[in-house]
Amino acid sequence: METLDISSALEMLGGEKELLIELLTAFVSGERLDGAKLERLEAQPDKTEAAKYVHFYKGAARQLAAQKLAASGQALEDVLRGKKTGDIAALNKAFLSDYEEAVEAVEASLAVL
């Protein structure tokens, strides 16, 4: 599974390179994923806000074809929404790691696009 699949992202956007550049730029210049905030939200009895927080970044990852981040976000969101069981701490670690990897890949892609 790729960290960032620029070809797929371009295909989803109908080949609009400028739009892709805008989306990539927004991803790295917008509000960064905050692990401490996520953990605070997850500590609440109702995990809805935590799931929404994860969903936001997972959705952005899907738009950019950041496949690893989208997958780890989906896994974490499913547990937070009670659709599946899992180790939230381990899923957080993977999600945060995949996010950092995606940011690096996006920044590298922007340098060459």
Side-chain angles (χ1 to χ4, degrees):
M1 186 175 306
E2 289 189 54
T3 299
L4 183 65
D5 185 344
I6 293 294
S7 296
S8 291
L10 268 172
E11 186 177 317
M12 285 188 285
L13 296 171
E16 293 187 42
K17 184 177 175 181
E18 293 305 316
L19 178 56
L20 177 59
I21 291 170
E22 283 181 41
L23 292 173
L24 292 170
T25 301
F27 183 77
V28 295
S29 64
E31 183 181 332
R32 295 285 180 130
L33 176 61
D34 181 343
K37 177 178 179 177
L38 177 57
E39 288 177 3
R40 282 192 306 276
L41 293 171
E42 289 168 341
Q44 298 175 1
D46 181 353
K47 307 286 188 242
T48 303
E49 290 304 312
K52 287 179 183 178
Y53 191 66
V54 171
H55 182 85
F56 174 82
Y57 293 95
K58 178 201 71 178
R62 283 200 172 137
Q63 287 183 321
L64 301 175
Q67 298 168 344
K68 283 177 65 179
L69 179 59
S72 62
Q74 186 66 62
L76 178 56
E77 184 181 356
D78 285 348
V79 171
L80 293 171
R81 292 194 186 277
K83 294 180 180 180
K84 295 183 179 178
T85 58
D87 180 345
I88 290 176
L91 292 167
N92 274 353
K93 186 176 180 180
F95 184 57
L96 293 168
S97 174
D98 291 345
Y99 174 78
E100 292 303 325
E101 191 176 316
V103 167
E104 289 176 16
V106 167
E107 289 172 341
S109 295
L110 281 170
V112 298
L113 283 175

